[in-house]
Amino acid sequence: MRLGSTIAARQLKYSLFLAVALGLVIVAIRGYQDYLWLEGVYQQSNQRIFSSSAPVATEVMIKRDRELANIMVRGMLNNRSIARVILTNADDGIFFELKRPAGEIPVSRWAEKMFGGLQTITVPVRDPERKPVATIGEMVIELNPQVYVNAYMTRLSWSFLATMILAAVMALCFAAMSYFVFSRPVIRLGNYIVNANPTDDSRPLQMPPEHRHDDEVQLLGSVTVGLFGMIRKQVGELRRARDELQNANITLEERVAQRTEELNSAMQKLEVLASTDPLTGLPNRRAFLGRLEDAVAVWRRRDTPVSFILLDIDRFKALNDTYGHQAGDAVLVALADTLRTTLRSIDIPARMGGEEFAVLLPGEELQGAMILAERLRKGLEQNSVEYGGSKLSFTSSFGVSGLPSAKGLAEFDQDVAAQFDVLRNSENTDIPGILYSLADHALYDVKATGRNRCKQADFSTLSEFKDQLPSDI
């Protein structure tokens, strides 16, 4: 934002507001005066019509001259405030009646409220030759001030338009005068303060912009120059003190940085050792369970499925006893290599301990996990390890569990789906432990029924974990 733009905007806004407010007051006063003037004209015009028509109406009623009545009434209707004229006599009732065509002078709500509104004036017609003077009829006149209302509204509209234009011009003139007399010098001084750098002692301190009037702006500029001088002096002293302190501490900082780097490197190595199985290079049990907890949290928040494969080498103890532990280690390494080459980059294989391995499949439904487990089973079955001149073949058993998404729950019955919903909403439940137990039970069933197979966990047994789940499951 350009410096000073808000000041100019506020000056123009408040000047325009004040001018408009003053203009509205002037319009109100002028409108009131116009109303009083038009009301007087309206009353005088009507009174003049009544006065001039009364003698003619008397002659009409005495002579019963309808032609003269027509001429008189039409002359009265030339006054556009008269809507209807009725002549009645005392004997026969209505003698003559004439009114304007419908819609010639519309009636608005303002005509009913201004200038006395819609009126009906009754003027008695008397015969001056009779003694005593007797009323021989009446002249009924209906008045509609709509013409005067229109004239008043027109005058008020033009008055408002002219006053608002004048108010806008006055506001612009006042804002321009205020800007050039006061705001612009202050803005120039503000630009000088913003752009000046009193801490740069490599060049002379710039002087504030020239101001031709000896007023508060010039005084403020002089005070600013003095303040900049003090700042430059203080900054110079601080720089000298900083340089001395830096020279004194440079050796200490280098030693601290070196020690910190060595400590960070050692901690990284310890972290790798603490989370990696040294034989296979796969994540160990501790690291795997941590990633499993993260995947469970994502399942809760985003409904992202996660699957868990637990596998165990069949008859591994017999292999160790027959060929030795080094042969068993070779089989473990071969299994880890097969997992690396078969799995996706986002999948996480791990050695849980001994001959037991696990695979975490983020974003994978149970059906896909079963397909992958079967592929791993066949790959391990077809694989062999050469050791000591012999080819060692081995098989593995698989147990699969996981947390399906809302879409994946359609594959289960309502009771199991309800148990998963309770599991998702539970706060202090060891869900990773439950998944591990379900996969371990499935793996145990495979071991007990022939080995070298894949089995999905029986999720209907979730109710057996009631000690770990909320009571409402």
Side-chain angles (χ1 to χ4, degrees):
M1 180 180 294
R2 185 179 177 184
L3 184 62
S5 59
T6 57
I7 297 177
R10 285 199 302 269
Q11 287 177 337
L12 180 59
K13 179 177 68 176
Y14 292 127
S15 299
L16 186 60
F17 176 77
L18 181 61
V20 169
L22 182 61
L24 291 175
V25 173
I26 295 174
V27 169
I29 296 174
R30 182 64 183 272
Y32 179 70
Q33 292 175 346
D34 288 346
Y35 179 79
L36 294 179
W37 175 71
L38 284 174
E39 185 178 31
V41 173
Y42 175 65
Q43 297 296 340
Q44 292 175 7
S45 175
N46 291 337
Q47 189 62 40
R48 187 165 54 250
I49 293 294
F50 299 160
S51 300
S52 62
S53 300
V56 180
T58 300
E59 184 177 354
V60 167
M61 298 304 297
I62 292 175
K63 295 181 179 182
R64 296 183 178 268
D65 189 344
R66 291 186 178 275
E67 183 177 355
L68 180 60
N70 183 53
I71 295 173
M72 178 197 72
V73 172
R74 290 187 178 278
M76 294 176 67
L77 290 179
N78 287 332
N79 188 337
R80 296 184 63 81
S81 63
I82 297 178
R84 183 181 183 186
V85 179
I86 303 174
L87 295 176
T88 63
N89 57 39
D91 299 329
D92 302 330
I94 296 177
F95 173 72
F96 187 84
E97 177 182 5
L98 186 63
K99 62 179 180 180
R100 293 184 183 277
E104 181 177 342
I105 301 179
V107 179
S108 67
R109 61 177 182 176
W110 298 110
E112 299 175 357
K113 298 180 180 180
M114 299 175 64
F115 302 106
L118 303 177
Q119 302 180 55
T120 301
I121 306 298
T122 301
V123 180
V125 180
R126 297 183 176 89
D127 186 358
E129 295 182 358
R130 293 186 182 182
K131 301 297 181 180
V133 178
T135 300
I136 60 176
E138 293 180 340
M139 181 171 57
V140 181
I141 305 171
E142 295 183 1
L143 301 177
N144 181 0
Q146 184 63 45
V147 174
Y148 287 85
V149 171
N150 295 339
Y152 174 71
M153 291 299 179
T154 301
R155 291 176 63 88
L156 186 63
S157 299
W158 282 106
S159 177
F160 176 80
L161 179 61
T163 304
M164 290 301 102
I165 293 175
L166 179 61
V169 173
M170 290 177 60
L172 290 173
C173 293
F174 178 78
M177 181 182 65
S178 175
Y179 175 77
F180 285 104
V181 172
F182 174 73
S183 299
R184 188 171 69 167
V186 173
I187 292 171
R188 292 175 61 191
L189 181 59
N191 285 324
Y192 162 73
I193 294 174
V194 170
N195 296 323
N197 185 8
T199 63
D200 185 7
D201 54 4
S202 62
R203 56 182 180 177
L205 186 64
Q206 295 180 354
M207 298 303 293
E210 181 181 358
H211 186 62
R212 60 184 177 179
H213 300 291
D214 187 11
D215 55 11
E216 290 81 359
V217 177
Q218 185 176 4
L219 177 61
L220 182 59
S222 301
V223 172
T224 302
V225 173
L227 181 61
F228 281 176
M230 296 176 59
I231 293 174
R232 175 166 290 191
K233 179 181 178 181
Q234 295 293 329
V235 168
E237 294 178 355
L238 289 174
R239 282 175 176 169
R240 287 191 293 271
R242 180 200 61 189
D243 294 340
E244 293 175 358
L245 183 60
Q246 287 180 346
N247 292 333
N249 293 335
I250 187 170
T251 304
L252 179 60
E253 291 177 356
E254 291 178 353
R255 293 177 62 186
V256 170
Q258 182 180 1
R259 292 291 187 181
T260 302
E261 184 178 357
E262 294 174 354
L263 180 60
N264 289 336
S265 177
M267 290 180 63
Q268 291 176 359
K269 292 179 180 179
L270 288 175
E271 180 66 24
V272 172
L273 291 175
S275 61
T276 304
D277 177 58
L279 176 63
T280 61
L282 295 178
N284 59 15
R285 183 187 188 93
R286 171 178 169 272
F288 180 83
L289 292 179
R291 299 297 294 271
L292 179 58
E293 290 180 356
D294 296 338
V296 170
V298 173
W299 171 73
R300 278 178 163 170
R301 292 195 309 269
R302 303 178 183 175
D303 193 35
T304 301
V306 58
S307 295
F308 171 69
I309 299 176
L310 189 64
L311 63 143
D312 188 272
I313 301 176
D314 297 331
R315 299 183 177 88
F316 185 73
K317 184 177 183 303
L319 188 148
N320 269 340
D321 293 342
T322 303
Y323 297 98
H325 289 283
Q326 292 182 345
D329 291 345
V331 169
L332 294 175
V333 172
L335 189 150
D337 293 338
T338 300
L339 293 179
R340 289 192 187 96
T341 57
T342 306
L343 298 176
R344 303 173 299 176
S345 59
I346 62 172
D347 298 334
I348 304 170
R351 183 185 179 192
M352 305 301 286
E355 69 273 20
E356 186 177 77
F357 290 78
V359 179
L360 182 63
L361 305 174
E364 189 66 62
E365 299 283 2
L366 288 167
Q367 184 178 3
M370 285 295 296
I371 295 174
L372 178 59
E374 182 61 25
R375 187 189 309 160
L376 287 173
R377 186 195 67 78
K378 290 181 179 180
L380 295 176
E381 184 180 29
Q382 297 170 1
N383 192 12
S384 63
V385 179
E386 293 187 2
Y387 181 79
S390 301
K391 286 188 177 182
L392 305 180
S393 298
F394 61 95
T395 61
S396 298
S397 299
F398 293 77
V400 180
S401 68
L403 300 170
S405 63
K407 182 178 180 180
L409 283 178
E411 303 294 331
F412 297 92
D413 58 33
Q414 294 182 354
D415 292 339
V416 174
Q419 292 174 355
F420 274 113
D421 289 337
V422 173
L423 197 63
R424 185 193 304 273
N425 297 323
S426 60
E427 294 294 336
N428 300 317
T429 302
D430 182 15
I431 298 179
I434 294 175
L435 293 180
Y436 192 95
S437 298
L438 289 171
D440 190 56
H441 288 172
L443 177 61
Y444 178 81
D445 291 342
V446 172
K447 290 283 189 180
T449 56
R451 300 180 176 85
N452 192 22
R453 289 192 304 106
C454 302
K455 180 179 181 180
Q456 180 175 304
D458 183 6
F459 292 102
S460 63
T461 62
L462 274 173
S463 58
E464 298 178 4
F465 299 92
K466 59 184 179 179
D467 294 336
Q468 302 181 44
L469 295 175
S471 59
D472 56 355
I473 195 169

